[in-house]
């Protein structure tokens, strides 16, 4: 028996024009959690696809339990004990938990009918692994929270009884609390001898869950280390190849808001609510202020943001923008008022993935980029060129669909589009989800600069360090209500979590 | 001039245009009759009705919509106008009424799709039967002939030897192409087809544009119905049967897709022209008439296969990031709103 359950040696994979992997090594011990870190484009995902048989490497060797193996197909890799939890959910929402866990492997009778009872029993056994006995395996997956869906995804991946489980950004749609629940379950799996390969942008998670870590940069192996021997600065420095100072930048001097006449707020909401989603929301955001909106997934933060933007209008309460009563009934009206909203879901709700950068930059201000009734190609080109320069977007040629850009560059396209309307109030929902650390620090700088020009910013985020690092002030939501307001400079993780989970209440200023 | 959205769409127009030219050149050698004015005019007259509808259908399909009911709208508006004429209505009023009926049916389709959220295919499939059925009811299964000469002029008059349906189609194609290519208002259709939810969050009035798209398609189908009735001098209960498939085929050959976000009016016209040319060529070189439908199907398939190959190649260039995921996705069942 080899020390390492999975080993990769000198893996090289070339795509037309790009060397995605260049002689990458990887060693994973039995029953450990091994993290892979690196910026977007470092080759993490490509390596995973090589390890799971989706891509075949140009050269290099994969050893499973010391024996060389090849994976002619993804199915072959699964059969030999490698399983993967996809970054984007692969569940079928309308089907039951049981059918999702055993997709395509349902127990069948001789005639090919699904043996329903056996299927449910097996699903129950599977749920029991994670102490989810109370969950009905016949329930359709769409009724579950994103966090629970992610856990079902893990159960689906381990239902093939793998020796190695790969997880690619499994926490990207989870809050910190749900993440810790997932981690608990990962620990149970490693105790059973399953090795976990864990990919994440959140370095704090690595220190919480991983035993060892491999750093990749630009498709190359940089280093391998025991997590207990290294710190975050070491990982970041190796990931980006340089040291990054404080990624959140300097918070604004609170006194400067006084100069801006703090009694006059840029945006105010009073008793804003929509039945079933949130109620009684009193918000106040000053010009130039970044206000964090924290809380668990499902606390109503996104719903509140979308209501202010008119996407799903509020049905009670009132809003003021620069002292004027407003009630946008659609995004169109909100944009006309100078309100922008950067969606949490850039792929399905933000970008036009098959359109090039210039079409995406123009989408929310077609009128401003027209001459008379005609769209002006020249104006659009100018706006797109300016955005590429200003936000340092690596677009790889403006004619290419934005689908081909990295997550960080895609997000910068959206940020550029929204800053482009020169908003009075910009709501950003999970502004750095799935974005690597280099692009993240840039995005923070763009938001700070925008606030510096007087825009009021509401930042919805499940990333606590982002909330704490960037916000001038923090509102915490729980079950559709704002349960507390904190000073950004004084708030701590504990104080936010306590409010978000209901362990504390009230206003501490 | 730099390209706007898909460079692909333009390539498609170029490709179809080249094939059209190639077929024409080949036919000049194959049949001395092909290049005669009579043959060309007959060919254009034959496709003018579907080309008129294709103008509005392109905008609709670019926005991710779809209309199966245009053939029935053609029959119904033709029959309605003829009935009104037979009842002694003045020609202008009967024509306006026909156009209004077409637009109203489109509005009906658009309202159900955009506001109630029923799938476009299902909605317009129902309309296809509804209005074919109403046509049978009002005509009682008979053709309506004996229409006034002034009405027949709409489809039968000639200017410099060219019949009016050809002129109407040409004018609409030119205006439609410019509108969809350059007008800010109609460019919104591309955004809606590209990503409906993102379009809404970008401040585009998605529901309004969709309803307008169906209404315009109904209006253009109504116009086509009047032109056809006038040209034939009679309203037929079977007019426009299967027309929807020819129109949609032309639009797709011309570069549009069922997902939306791509396509041009010029492309749709070229698609329509190519189908007519193939039919014409087969007739002239004496191929059995039964082969025509088969060849049209083959043309459609080849056009989309070439398109797909082109897209695959451009995706491979960026090192295809996509993992095979067991998600259920249907081309026809596009999500309706957010």
């Amino acid at each position: 028996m080899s020390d390492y359950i999975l080993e990769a040696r000198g893996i090289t994979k070339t795509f037309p024009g790009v060397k995605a992997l260049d002689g990458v090594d990887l060693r994973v011990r039995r029953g450990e959690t091994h993290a892979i870190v690196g910026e977007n484009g470092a080759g993490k995902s490509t390596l995973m696809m090589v390890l799971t048989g989706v891509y075949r490497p140009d050269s290099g060797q994969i050893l499973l339990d010391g024996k060389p193996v090849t994976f002619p197909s993804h199915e072959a890799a699964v059969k030999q004990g490698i399983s993967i939890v996809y970054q984007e959910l692969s569940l079928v929402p309308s089907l039951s938990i049981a059918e999702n866990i055993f997709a395509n492997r349902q127990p069948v009778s001789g005639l090919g009918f699904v043996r329903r009872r056996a299927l449910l029993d097996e699903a129950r056994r599977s749920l029991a692994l994670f102490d989810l006995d109370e969950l009905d395996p016949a329930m359709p997956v769409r009724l579950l929270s994103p966090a629970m869906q992610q856990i079902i995804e893990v159960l689906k991946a381990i239902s093939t009884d793998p020796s190695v489980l790969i997880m690619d950004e499994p926490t990207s749609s989870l809050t910190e609390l749900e993440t810790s629940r997932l981690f608990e379950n990962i620990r149970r799996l490693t105790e059973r001898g399953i090795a976990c390969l864990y990919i994440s942008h959140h370095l704090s998670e690595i220190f919480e869950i991983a035993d060892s870590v491999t750093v990749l940069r630009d498709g190359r192996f940089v280093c391998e280390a025991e997590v207990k021997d290294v710190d975050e600065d070491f990982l970041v420095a190796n990931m980006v190849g340089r040291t990054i100072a404080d990624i959140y930048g300097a918070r604004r001097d609170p006194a400067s808001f006084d100069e801006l006449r703090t009694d006059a707020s840029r945006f105010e909401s009073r008793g804003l609510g929509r039945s079933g989603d949130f109620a009684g929301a009193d918000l106040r955001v000053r010009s130039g202020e970044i206000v964090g909106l924290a809380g668990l997934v499902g606390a109503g933060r996104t719903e509140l943001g979308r209501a202010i933007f008119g996407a799903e209008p509020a049905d009670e309460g009132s809003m003021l923008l620069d002292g004027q009563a407003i009630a946008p009934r659609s995004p169109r009206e909100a944009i006309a008022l100078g309100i922008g909203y950067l969606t949490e879901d850039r792929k399905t709700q933000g970008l036009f993935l098959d359109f090039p950068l210039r079409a995406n930059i123009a989408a929310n201000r077609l009128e401003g980029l027209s001459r008379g009734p005609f769209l002006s190609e020249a104006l659009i080109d100018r706006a797109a060129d300016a955005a590429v320069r200003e936000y340092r977007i690596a677009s790889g040629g403006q004619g290419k669909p934005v689908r081909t850009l990295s997550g960080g560059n895609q997000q910068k396209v959206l940020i550029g589009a929204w800053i482009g309307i020169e908003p009075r109030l910009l709501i950003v929902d999970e502004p750095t989800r799935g974005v690597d650390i280099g692009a993240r620090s840039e995005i923070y700088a763009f938001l700070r600069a925008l606030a510096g020009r007087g825009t009021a910013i509401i930042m919805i985020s499940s990333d606590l360090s982002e909330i704490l690092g960037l916000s001038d002030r923090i509102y915490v939501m729980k079950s559709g209500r704002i349960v507390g307001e904190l000073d950004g400079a004084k708030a701590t993780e504990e104080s936010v979590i306590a409010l978000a989970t209901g362990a504390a209440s009230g206003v501490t200023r | 001039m730099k390209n706007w959205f898909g460079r692909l769409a333009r390539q498609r127009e170029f490709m179809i245009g080249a094939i059209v030219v190639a077929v024409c050149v080949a036919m000049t050698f194959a049949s001395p009759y092909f290049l005669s004015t009579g043959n060309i005019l007959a060919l254009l007259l034959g496709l003018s009705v579907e080309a008129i509808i294709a103008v509005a259908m392109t905008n609709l399909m670019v926005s991710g919509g779809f209309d199966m009911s245009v053939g029935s709208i053609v029959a119904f508006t033709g029959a309605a106008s003829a009935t009104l004429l037979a009842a002694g209505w003045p020609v202008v009023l009967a024509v306006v009424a026909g156009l209004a009926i077409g637009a109203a049916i489109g509005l009906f389709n658009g309202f159900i799709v955009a506001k109630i959220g029923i799938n476009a295919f299902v909605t317009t499939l129902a309309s296809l039967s509804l209005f074919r059925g109403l046509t049978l009811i009002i005509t009682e299964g008979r053709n309506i002939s004996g229409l006034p000469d002034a009405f027949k002029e709409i489809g039968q008059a000639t200017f410099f030897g060219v019949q009016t349906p050809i002129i109407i189609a040409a004018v609409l194609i030119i205006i439609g192409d410019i509108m969809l290519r350059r007008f800010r208002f109609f460019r919104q259709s591309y955004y809606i087809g590209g990503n409906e939810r993102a379009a809404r969050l970008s401040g585009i009035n998605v529901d309004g544009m969709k309803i307008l798209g169906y209404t315009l398609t109904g209006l253009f189908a109504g116009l086509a119905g009047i032109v056809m009735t006038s040209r034939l001098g009679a309203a037929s209960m079977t007019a426009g049967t299967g027309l929807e498939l020819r129109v949609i085929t032309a639009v797709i050959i011309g570069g549009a897709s069922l997902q939306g976000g791509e396509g041009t009016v010029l492309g749709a016209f070229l698609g329509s022209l190519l189908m007519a040319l193939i039919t014409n060529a087969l007739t002239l070189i004496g191929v059995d008439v039964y082969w025509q439908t088969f060849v049209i199907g083959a043309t459609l398939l080849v056009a989309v296969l070439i398109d797909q190959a082109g897209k695959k190649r451009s995706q491979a260039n960026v090192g295809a990031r996509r993992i095979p995921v067991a998600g259920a996705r249907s081309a026809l069942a596009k999500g309706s709103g957010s």
Side-chain angles (χ1 to χ4, degrees):
Chain A
M1 217 156 94
S2 162
D3 278 354
Y4 298 103
I5 180 70
L6 177 69
E7 247 187 295
R9 291 180 189 157
I11 300 287
T12 298
K13 176 74 191 171
T14 312
F15 294 109
V18 210
K19 204 161 202 181
L21 293 175
D22 188 0
V24 170
D25 297 331
L26 179 73
R27 295 184 301 179
V28 185
R29 285 188 300 259
R30 192 178 308 280
E32 74 161 351
T33 299
H34 187 97
I36 298 182
V37 297
E39 294 202 274
N40 279 336
K44 292 168 301 187
S45 294
T46 311
L47 179 61
M48 292 313 106
M49 290 199 227
V50 168
L51 292 176
T52 52
V54 176
Y55 292 153
R56 250 188 275 183
D58 303 334
S59 62
Q61 209 181 16
I62 301 173
L63 295 96
L64 205 53
D65 203 8
K67 289 184 282 292
V69 287
T70 52
F71 302 133
S73 69
H74 179 56
E75 287 69 28
V78 172
K79 203 168 265 171
Q80 294 184 58
I82 296 190
S83 197
I84 182 163
V85 177
Y86 294 106
Q87 181 174 1
E88 278 142 28
L89 293 175
S90 71
L91 302 175
V92 183
S94 58
L95 292 182
S96 69
I97 293 173
E99 280 172 297
N100 269 293
I101 294 179
F102 297 101
N104 247 337
R105 292 183 308 277
Q106 301 97 326
V108 288
S109 68
L111 283 173
F113 290 107
V114 173
R115 290 168 54 217
R116 202 178 143 72
R117 189 165 305 243
L119 175 69
L120 293 180
D121 285 344
E122 279 193 44
R124 241 173 243 122
R125 264 197 295 284
S126 183
L127 289 169
L129 279 182
F130 287 169
D131 280 343
L132 297 171
D133 309 69
E134 78 280 13
L135 220 53
D136 176 8
M139 183 156 86
V141 157
R142 77 183 135 78
L143 300 179
L144 301 176
S145 69
M148 201 53 95
Q149 292 189 12
Q150 188 69 57
I151 284 170
I152 300 300
E153 192 85 36
V154 173
L155 286 174
K156 175 180 171 182
I158 62 169
S159 71
T160 56
D161 201 17
S163 48
V164 180
L165 177 66
I166 300 175
M167 279 180 273
D168 191 354
E169 295 277 350
T171 60
S172 59
S173 58
L174 307 187
T175 59
E176 307 237 341
L177 238 98
E178 294 160 333
T179 300
S180 63
R181 174 100 194 241
L182 178 71
F183 285 173
E184 206 177 289
N185 290 326
I186 291 176
R187 283 189 202 101
R188 291 185 192 203
L189 295 179
T190 49
E191 276 160 25
R192 288 158 54 94
I194 297 176
C196 285
L197 253 182
Y198 190 89
I199 300 178
S200 178
H201 283 304
H202 299 288
L203 294 182
S204 57
E205 292 179 6
I206 309 278
F207 289 95
E208 208 177 327
I209 188 72
D211 303 300
S212 54
V213 57
T214 293
V215 182
L216 301 182
R217 190 200 320 145
D218 301 329
R220 291 199 184 82
F221 172 87
V222 179
C223 64
E224 185 202 70
E226 294 301 307
V227 168
K228 60 176 165 24
D229 300 336
V230 298
D231 62 8
E232 196 162 324
D233 291 340
F234 171 85
L235 290 184
V236 170
N238 278 293
M239 280 161 63
V240 297
R242 65 193 151 93
T243 42
I244 287 191
D246 179 16
I247 67 164
Y248 299 110
R251 204 175 261 109
R252 193 169 175 148
D253 177 8
S256 70
F257 289 114
D258 296 333
E259 290 159 24
L260 290 166
R261 291 179 297 124
T262 47
D263 53 318
S265 29
R266 169 55 60 87
F267 173 80
E268 232 179 303
S269 74
R270 289 177 195 149
L272 208 62
R274 195 178 55 236
S275 56
D277 289 328
F278 60 93
D282 296 331
L283 282 177
R284 199 168 58 88
V285 192
R286 289 170 289 195
S287 174
E289 195 178 28
I290 300 178
V291 169
L293 198 52
L296 304 183
V297 166
R301 298 167 303 162
T302 293
E303 290 78 1
L304 175 57
R306 290 176 70 97
I308 295 170
F309 187 57
E312 280 93 34
D315 48 26
E316 57 184 36
S318 60
M319 291 186 269
L320 295 174
L321 188 66
D322 286 328
Q324 302 283 315
I326 57 163
R329 306 299 301 169
S330 69
R332 185 180 182 74
E333 290 179 27
I335 290 170
L337 288 164
I339 302 175
Y341 171 76
L342 180 88
T343 171
E344 60 179 329
D345 194 344
R346 67 171 164 269
K347 284 190 177 150
T348 67
Q349 299 192 33
L351 292 168
F352 303 86
L353 288 171
D354 294 322
F355 293 167
L357 181 140
R358 54 200 307 286
N360 277 281
I361 289 284
N364 57 10
R365 50 181 156 139
L366 294 175
E367 272 162 53
L369 299 174
S370 299
R371 292 217 168 90
F374 295 105
L375 269 184
S376 162
E377 305 289 328
L379 287 179
I380 291 169
D381 278 334
R382 211 176 301 156
D385 289 342
V388 166
R389 235 178 306 116
E390 177 104 352
Y391 306 112
R392 294 190 286 278
I393 303 170
S395 67
Q398 286 194 22
K400 281 196 177 171
V402 294
R403 184 188 294 286
T404 64
L405 305 187
S406 72
N409 281 306
Q410 288 183 346
Q411 193 71 358
K412 288 201 262 177
V413 170
L414 270 187
I415 298 246
W418 283 113
I419 295 180
I421 68 164
E422 292 162 16
R424 291 201 274 177
L425 168 69
L426 180 64
I427 304 159
V428 292
D429 198 347
E430 305 290 356
T432 61
R433 177 179 283 175
V435 169
D436 65 56
I437 196 151
R440 238 160 76 193
S441 70
E442 287 182 285
I443 288 171
Y444 296 143
F446 300 148
L447 292 178
R448 282 234 190 271
L450 180 68
R453 296 196 296 272
T455 296
I457 298 178
I458 298 176
M459 180 178 69
I460 301 168
S461 176
S462 298
D463 183 340
L464 260 185
S465 43
E466 175 171 292
I467 288 271
L468 295 171
L470 208 63
S471 311
D472 296 307
R473 224 149 31 84
I474 301 166
Y475 288 105
V476 184
M477 284 186 82
K478 174 179 173 278
S479 314
R481 291 195 170 268
I482 292 175
V483 291
E485 183 185 340
L486 303 166
D487 181 332
K490 291 178 196 143
T492 61
E493 281 197 24
E494 290 73 25
S495 62
V496 175
I497 290 178
L499 283 168
T501 57
S505 67
V507 178
T508 50
R509 291 216 41 144
Chain B
M1 195 187 84
K2 278 191 204 163
N3 199 331
W4 230 109
F5 290 88
R7 199 171 293 158
L8 283 165
R10 184 152 306 187
Q11 281 175 353
R12 176 72 83 88
E13 287 159 36
F14 188 78
M15 183 184 86
I16 304 277
I19 296 174
V20 165
V21 171
V23 172
C24 288
V25 170
M27 281 312 295
T28 344
F29 290 106
S31 164
Y33 177 66
F34 175 76
L35 260 192
S36 68
T37 316
N39 185 49
I40 297 293
L41 283 180
L43 189 149
L44 291 176
L45 185 63
L47 67 80
S48 57
V49 162
E50 69 189 51
I52 289 170
I53 303 172
V55 173
M57 185 72 90
T58 304
N59 171 58
L60 182 63
M61 290 181 65
V62 163
S63 74
F66 189 71
D67 193 342
M68 291 290 289
S69 67
V70 288
S72 296
I73 299 177
V74 164
F76 185 68
T77 51
S81 300
T83 308
L84 294 176
L85 288 168
W89 282 42
V91 170
V92 174
L93 276 187
V95 168
V96 170
L99 295 177
I101 289 169
I105 297 173
L107 183 66
F108 169 80
N109 285 334
F111 184 83
I112 293 180
V113 172
K115 289 292 181 191
I116 304 181
I118 307 289
N119 173 285
F121 179 80
V122 174
T123 303
T124 58
L125 191 62
S127 287
L128 179 151
S129 291
L130 280 175
F131 295 100
R132 180 67 62 188
L134 273 185
T135 309
L136 294 175
I137 292 167
I138 64 170
T139 61
E140 295 173 330
R142 288 187 294 269
N143 291 350
I144 304 170
S145 52
L147 303 173
D149 287 344
F151 180 75
K152 291 184 192 163
E153 284 291 295
I154 298 170
Q156 295 178 3
T158 57
F159 293 90
F160 307 105
V162 182
Q163 289 99 329
T164 38
I166 299 174
I167 295 169
I168 293 173
V171 169
L172 290 177
I173 287 163
I174 292 166
I175 295 175
D177 190 73
I178 293 171
M179 289 280 207
L180 201 56
R181 212 178 279 274
R182 311 275 291 133
F183 259 55
R184 176 182 71 235
F185 186 78
F186 285 100
R187 288 310 293 190
Q188 296 185 116
S189 297
Y190 288 88
Y191 284 102
I192 295 169
N195 184 343
E196 194 177 312
R197 302 214 284 174
R200 198 167 114 75
L201 291 183
S202 300
I204 290 170
N205 182 354
V206 172
D207 288 355
M209 285 298 293
K210 281 169 127 182
I211 292 174
L212 180 78
Y214 284 96
T215 308
L216 280 178
T217 307
L219 176 69
F220 278 49
L223 174 64
I226 287 165
V227 167
M228 186 189 248
T229 307
S230 161
R231 180 163 71 86
L232 300 175
S236 155
M237 58 171 188
T238 56
T241 307
L243 188 62
E244 60 282 343
L245 295 180
R246 288 184 66 86
V247 173
I248 291 166
T249 306
V251 177
I252 293 176
I253 290 178
S257 71
L258 288 184
Q259 282 78 32
E262 52 189 351
T264 61
V265 172
L266 179 62
F269 164 68
L270 290 172
S272 175
L273 182 60
L274 182 62
M275 289 199 299
L277 270 176
I278 290 173
T279 311
N280 187 254
L282 292 176
T283 313
L284 287 182
I285 58 176
V287 174
D288 195 340
V289 68
Y290 300 122
W291 278 93
Q292 291 177 0
T293 309
F294 177 86
V295 174
I296 299 287
T299 310
L300 174 63
L301 202 56
V302 168
V304 295
L305 285 176
I306 291 172
D307 198 39
Q308 186 71 11
K311 281 182 185 163
K312 279 249 173 71
R313 213 174 309 123
S314 71
Q315 265 180 7
N317 281 339
V318 295
R321 295 204 147 77
R322 300 170 116 187
I323 310 170
V325 172
R329 221 171 258 162
S330 153
L332 288 176
K334 286 210 62 166
S336 52
S338 43

